[in-house]
Each structure stands twice: as structure tokens, then as C-alpha cells.
Amino acid sequence: MKHMVQFQNVTKKFKMYAKPSDKLKDLFLSSETGEFHHALRGISFDVEKSEIVGIIGLNGSGKSTLSNLIAGVTMPSSGEVKIEGTAALIAISSGLNAQLTGLENIELKGLMLGLTKQEIKKITPKVIEFADIGKFINQPVKTYSSGMKSRLGFAISVHIDPDILVIDEALSVGDQTFTKRCLDKMNEFKENGKTIFFISHSLSQVKSFCTKALWIHYGEVRGYGEVDGIVDEYQQFLKEYNGLSIEERNKLREDSINKQSSPIECEETCIIENNDSHAVEDMQHRPRKHKDSTRFKEARKKKLLVRLLTIVVASLVVVGSVVVYKSFTSMDNKEGEAKVTEEARATESKAVTSNTETKMAIVTTKVGIVRSDASTGSKEISRVEFGDALEVVDRKKSSDTPMSWLQVKLPNGKTGWISSTILQEYILEEQQYPNKNINSMSEFLLTLGVSEKIAKHSQYLNKSVDILEKDNKEPIISRRKQGDRSFVEYKNVEFIAENQNVSQMNINNISIPIKESASQLGEPFFVEATEGIRLFLTNEYSITVSTLYNKIVAISIKITNNTLN
């Protein structure tokens, strides 16, 4: 199994200063002297892909320092940290500029993480909707509460789609509704095979969500392994710790902090192999350089010069970056405003001329929120998924954000509002598909290269769950219910029913070359390149094809009930 994160004998120390002026002096003098605090001391562990690791421990044990090392926010003082892929840190106020607005912080953090302007514009509406902070998105972050900062930080981090997600107690300040939304998103990441580090004092959340646990105790690894065993050990420790008197707790904390402040023994010799006696002997007899030697003075002068040059260059880079960023942002905003105005006029014109024709919209994100009104602050009434086809009833501009909304008709007959940024509208009369009418879904799947055994399962689309379970003689792997939806899973095939009527069929674990099926599928209606997903439409179905390395690995078929009259 591939290791996503590797820590090898990692130590992180911070220098302690008696007063602020000592920091300035330290820029010009040797930084090897003075008092240090070892936040982490020689820790080692490996984390494989798709692991969910809960990091637990008392306050001040180094959990946040560990999260910063994983996310690349800081570097280790010694040892080696190996990270495969991109990592995003979610912590209260992490990466947020208090002087900028929420919208400006989305752009700033996106640029810092290497996203292009177009990519940032694409994710911004999704971040706004997920954060759900209403009009405050246009206010400076310094006016936000802790919960609002956490909401915005979480929303930004999850929508840049990192390989490794580090969550540092970011859920401790949110309300239950937002916490549930975050956990749902984290479970989505979990299903997608992402690696997650979850730092929390809620041991019940750690136990229910994580696969492994890492117990950090004042800078050292006390335990690492299966979540149940490590959490049980930590709970036993807490029971004993809470049984101590206040004086005993303070003494334990003081001893631990003093240990973190003391230098690591054999700091030089620990890098030498244990059996290399010659190397040890050589180090013991190595002559020490006298501080007043000419060589030492020259080296010190060079070090001072390098530091001065570094400060000058860094200052120039910072000033230049600010000037370039402001001018670039100003130019981009002017161009963007002109473009938005032009697009808005075109959209409004199109809406007037084709208001009676545009009737449908397809969901183009994994999960979309349906609200009671055209506002991010309104109540959530339902959720939709990628590939869902919805009838468009009305449209409206948002009063609190630069977003437009569509009122859609849900499968249960109710109506609600969805951000237009996660929908792709289409006019039924104008759509031309190679497979506009599929008389037999089974035959269509056979032409794509799906096996006959799997293809014949499509006969149960638009039939009741009772008929499915009665007529299908294959063993059921799992069966579950979620609200009005029922899920029935067979080998390589899953059926989803709305109000006991089968409306969706998912085919998994297949491998079909795209070239062989391209002529049958035709041009996709929508492509999500980063996820390798292609969406195709017919008059009766929306067909989602998931690809990997030029092969189709999964197919999802949904009934749209959009047959033309």
C-alpha cells in the first residue's frame, strides 16, 4: 500500500524569547544558543492511502504543530517528512487574512494553493454556498465569529480537492447543522479514498470516523494503531489523570514542559549508527574550534552578511508581490466586471427569447443544496446529486451575493431554489443526441461493452423495489433506507429507488476501453475533467460515465422522465 505521509525521527523546536527585541537580535546573532521548546521530539509514523487518522492528546502536546508539518505550513527542525500529493489544513482562521473580505480570502487562499483565476472563479460559488454565512461573505474576516471563520476555512479547503485533508479542531466551534454537513463532506472524501487527519477532543467522533489513532503526549508518540485500542488506552489515561489533585496535575504538566525545554540527549551522536564505534570515537576526539579563532570570526561575518541579504531580498519580494498582485487584481477585476456585464446582458436576452423553451437543468456537482428561497441564508429543504435532471420553474438574482438562482421542481413534486453555478441548463428542443431514443437500455449497455449478465439488470429501472427483489434471484449484498430513498446492492450493481420506485442503477467494477464505446455514447453533455466524469443525456436517461486511464470503470443511469410530447 502506498504511503501518503511518512515521519522519520522528526523534531520541531521553537526558540523562546524573553522580550520581543530578542527576536530582532537573533536575526544578526547565532541562533544556536538560548532556550528552546521541543514541540515534537523524534516522532516516527507512516500513514497509508485512504487511512483516517485521529490525532488525540492533552492540550499543549504538539497536535497543532504536527498538523502544520503535515500541511507544509512549517518545516521540521530535524528528521524527514515525506508527503505524497497536496495537503490542506482546516483550522480556525487558518490561512485567512482578517483585513480582507470572505470573497477576497477565497481568491487569496486559492492563489496561495496554486489555483488559476478560472479555477478560483469556478469554485467560489460552491464555497459561498457551503460556508453559508450569508451577507458576511462581503465583510472583512475580522468581523467574523469563530464559527464563521471555521465555516469559511473548511469550505475553501474541501473545494480545492486536496489529496490529504488535515482538520484541526475546526468542528468544535460550529453548530450541529454545520458539523453534520462537514462530517458528510468528510465521509465523501473518505469514500473517494482521500487520506484524512482528524484532530479532536471528541473521542466519540474519533472512534466513529477514524480507522487509526495517533496519541501525542507532550511532543512524543505515546501510541499509534487501530483506533479502538489507542482510544481505550487514552481514555484510561484520562481517567487516571482526572483523578489527580490540582497540585499533582500541575506538577505533571510542569515536568513535561521542562522535558520539552531540555535539549535532546546525544543530539549529535543519534545520527551515527549504534555499532559504528570508530565514528563515535572520532567524534569524541575531534578538536573543538575556539570561538575567538580567525576562522570562526570569518564564518560569523559571512553568516551575518547572508542574513542581511536575505532580509533585503525578502523585503523586496514582499513589496513587489503586493504591487504586482494589486495591479493584477485591479486589471482582472476591470476585465471581469466588463465580461460579467456582457455575459449578464446576453443571459438576460437569452432568458427573454427562450423563457418558454428552457425547461431542464442538470446537476453538475457531487451534491447540491436545495433551499426554500433564493438566498444562502435560507433553509435547506433537500439535496440533489450529480446527473439529476430537474425542471426549471423560475429564476432570480441573489440579494446578498453575486449569484443567480433557479427554482426547480423536485422528483417529489415540491419546488426549491438552487444556485445556477452548479446547474447546466438545456433546451430539450435544441438537444441532439446520437441515442435520443433508447428502446432497450439492456441492448444499449451491450453495445458499450457491458456484460450480458450485468446489462439485463436494467430491466428493473422504473419498476418497484418489490418486483426487483422478487424477480432478481441473485443474492443481495446489502439493503438500506435513507428517508424516501431505498438502496439495494447486488454484485457490481446497485439500485436506488425513490418512494419504492427504482430510478437509478449504478454499475461498478468494470473496465471498458473508451475508444470502443465512443461511437455509441457520442459527445458528452458535460465533462468534469478533474474527476474523469462524463455526462450524457437522452430523452429518458442521464448517463454518467466514470473513467480512469482511458477506461470506463463505472456507469450510473438515472431516469429523467423527460420524454418529449
Side-chain angles (χ1 to χ4, degrees):
M1 182 72 73
K2 182 179 180 182
H3 286 124
M4 296 297 289
V5 176
Q6 287 182 290
F7 273 57
Q8 297 176 4
N9 198 32
V10 173
T11 293
K12 180 62 181 178
K13 61 182 181 179
F14 299 93
K15 191 166 185 179
M16 310 296 286
Y17 297 99
K19 51 186 180 295
S21 59
D22 289 345
K23 291 185 179 181
L24 185 61
K25 293 178 184 177
D26 202 43
L27 289 172
F28 305 102
L29 302 176
S30 174
S31 61
E32 300 304 318
T33 58
E35 183 184 353
F36 287 89
H37 173 76
H38 292 80
L40 297 173
R41 298 168 63 96
I43 67 170
S44 299
F45 63 90
D46 298 328
V47 177
E48 297 177 346
K49 186 177 182 180
S50 303
E51 289 282 9
I52 316 297
V53 181
I55 302 178
I56 55 179
L58 298 175
N59 286 330
S61 288
K63 301 188 297 296
S64 293
T65 302
L66 179 62
S67 69
N68 288 333
L69 286 169
I70 297 170
V73 175
T74 186
M75 301 300 291
S77 303
S78 63
E80 187 175 11
V81 177
K82 294 181 181 178
I83 305 294
E84 291 290 336
T86 58
L89 172 64
I90 302 175
I92 301 173
S93 303
S94 174
L96 300 180
N97 188 314
Q99 304 304 317
L100 301 179
T101 67
L103 277 174
E104 290 168 339
N105 267 285
I106 296 172
E107 182 177 8
L108 177 62
K109 196 166 184 181
L111 290 172
M112 290 171 62
L113 293 167
L115 272 64
T116 64
K117 284 278 188 176
Q118 284 300 112
E119 289 172 331
I120 294 171
K121 286 180 181 178
K122 184 177 179 181
I123 67 168
T124 295
K126 299 177 183 178
V127 173
I128 292 172
E129 184 173 4
F130 191 93
D132 196 15
I133 58 177
K135 295 180 181 180
F136 278 92
I137 196 68
N138 296 310
Q139 302 303 313
V141 169
K142 63 183 179 182
T143 64
Y144 288 13
S145 65
S146 296
M148 292 167 70
K149 292 175 184 176
S150 179
R151 282 169 174 261
L152 182 60
F154 192 100
I156 295 172
S157 296
V158 297
H159 282 92
I160 63 172
D161 197 27
D163 301 304
I164 302 167
L165 193 63
V166 186
I167 304 167
D168 188 357
E169 299 187 53
L171 305 186
S172 60
V173 294
D175 54 41
Q176 291 184 349
T177 303
F178 182 71
T179 300
K180 182 181 182 302
R181 192 185 308 170
C182 292
L183 290 172
D184 289 343
K185 193 68 177 178
M186 288 158 58
N187 281 315
E188 182 182 316
F189 269 59
K190 186 176 180 179
E191 292 299 319
N192 292 336
K194 305 285 186 180
T195 303
I196 302 175
F197 289 86
F198 183 52
I199 302 172
S200 176
H201 288 291
S202 173
L203 298 183
S204 60
Q205 283 186 348
V206 171
K207 258 192 171 184
S208 62
F209 181 68
C210 301
T211 57
K212 285 188 175 182
L214 177 65
W215 176 10
I216 301 291
H217 185 70
Y218 290 108
E220 297 178 344
V221 175
R222 181 68 70 88
Y224 178 52
E226 295 301 319
V227 64
D228 289 336
I230 299 299
V231 170
D232 288 346
E233 290 179 20
Y234 181 60
Q235 285 178 320
Q236 181 61 33
F237 164 78
L238 288 179
K239 184 178 179 181
E240 297 173 0
Y241 179 79
N242 292 328
L244 298 175
S245 65
I246 296 177
E247 292 77 12
E248 288 173 326
R249 289 188 202 175
N250 291 336
K251 182 68 169 59
L252 175 63
R253 187 181 297 109
E254 185 179 343
D255 291 343
S256 299
I257 292 174
N258 288 335
K259 183 180 178 182
Q260 286 179 289
S261 300
S262 63
I264 300 176
E265 296 180 2
C266 303
E267 192 164 359
E268 289 182 334
T269 58
C270 66
I271 61 173
I272 300 176
E273 296 292 337
N274 294 332
N275 297 327
D276 196 345
S277 58
H278 295 292
V280 176
E281 184 178 351
D282 179 65
M283 177 171 285
Q284 290 172 344
H285 292 87
R286 186 184 301 165
R288 295 183 180 272
K289 298 181 178 65
H290 196 276
K291 288 190 176 182
D292 292 331
S293 66
T294 305
R295 187 175 179 183
F296 177 82
K297 289 180 179 179
E298 290 177 355
R300 189 171 179 179
K301 286 180 181 179
K302 288 181 180 178
K303 192 173 183 180
L304 177 60
L305 182 60
V306 169
R307 291 191 177 190
L308 284 170
L309 288 173
T310 302
I311 293 170
V312 172
V313 172
S315 301
L316 291 173
V317 169
V318 170
V319 173
S321 299
V322 171
V323 172
V324 171
Y325 174 75
K326 285 186 175 179
S327 60
F328 178 71
T329 305
S330 177
M331 291 172 60
D332 187 74
N333 286 342
K334 289 178 181 177
E335 293 176 1
E337 287 172 5
K339 186 175 179 181
V340 168
T341 304
E342 186 178 341
E343 288 179 351
R345 288 172 182 168
T347 303
E348 289 174 4
S349 175
K350 184 176 179 181
V352 171
T353 57
S354 60
N355 187 47
T356 58
E357 295 178 329
T358 304
K359 293 182 180 297
M360 305 302 301
I362 285 285
V363 180
T364 58
T365 189
K366 286 185 178 179
V367 179
I369 299 175
V370 184
R371 299 187 178 278
S372 59
D373 197 6
S375 169
T376 55
S378 60
K379 182 182 177 182
E380 176 183 333
I381 60 173
S382 184
R383 293 197 173 194
V384 289
E385 298 177 350
F386 184 90
D388 285 348
L390 307 166
E391 181 182 349
V392 178
V393 179
D394 196 6
R395 65 185 69 237
K396 185 189 294 185
K397 286 281 185 180
S398 176
S399 58
D400 54 358
T401 61
M403 295 169 59
S404 60
W405 296 76
L406 295 181
Q407 187 181 34
V408 296
K409 187 176 181 180
L410 301 173
N412 59 11
K414 296 181 180 179
T415 60
W417 294 87
I418 307 181
S419 169
S420 62
T421 56
I422 63 170
L423 298 173
Q424 182 75 38
E425 295 180 71
Y426 64 97
I427 303 170
L428 286 172
E429 288 80 2
E430 293 182 1
Q431 297 300 325
Q432 299 295 327
Y433 306 107
N435 305 294
K436 194 165 185 177
N437 295 295
I438 297 178
N439 297 321
S440 170
M441 177 54 72
S442 177
E443 292 179 5
F444 176 70
L445 290 173
L446 288 172
T447 60
L448 292 182
V450 177
S451 69
E452 184 177 357
K453 184 178 181 181
I454 293 177
K456 70 178 184 180
H457 283 83
S458 62
Q459 64 181 299
Y460 299 109
L461 283 167
N462 215 13
K463 292 186 179 178
S464 69
V465 175
D466 292 337
I467 294 176
L468 166 66
E469 296 183 359
K470 179 181 178 182
D471 293 356
N472 196 332
K473 304 303 180 183
E474 291 190 19
I476 297 175
I477 295 176
S478 68
R479 184 193 290 112
R480 68 184 190 279
K481 196 170 179 63
Q482 184 178 338
D484 294 333
R485 308 180 80 191
S486 301
F487 299 79
V488 183
E489 184 180 357
Y490 296 88
K491 185 178 180 181
N492 299 330
V493 180
E494 180 187 41
F495 292 95
I496 301 176
E498 299 275 355
N499 297 316
Q500 294 299 303
N501 194 59
V502 178
S503 59
Q504 181 176 342
M505 171 183 170
N506 299 327
I507 303 172
N508 303 308
N509 301 321
I510 56 177
S511 181
I512 303 171
I514 295 176
K515 288 184 178 179
E516 295 181 8
S517 56
S519 59
Q520 296 297 324
L521 291 169
E523 289 296 320
F525 175 76
F526 179 82
V527 176
E528 178 56 75
T530 56
E531 298 288 339
I533 298 175
R534 306 180 186 190
L535 178 65
F536 301 86
L537 287 180
T538 74
N539 284 345
E540 298 174 337
Y541 306 100
S542 72
I543 304 171
T544 303
V545 175
S546 300
T547 61
L548 183 66
Y549 302 123
N550 294 320
K551 288 189 176 181
I552 298 175
V553 295
I555 300 175
S556 177
I557 305 160
K558 294 183 180 181
I559 296 175
T560 60
N561 294 323
N562 297 330
T563 306
L564 296 175
N565 294 325

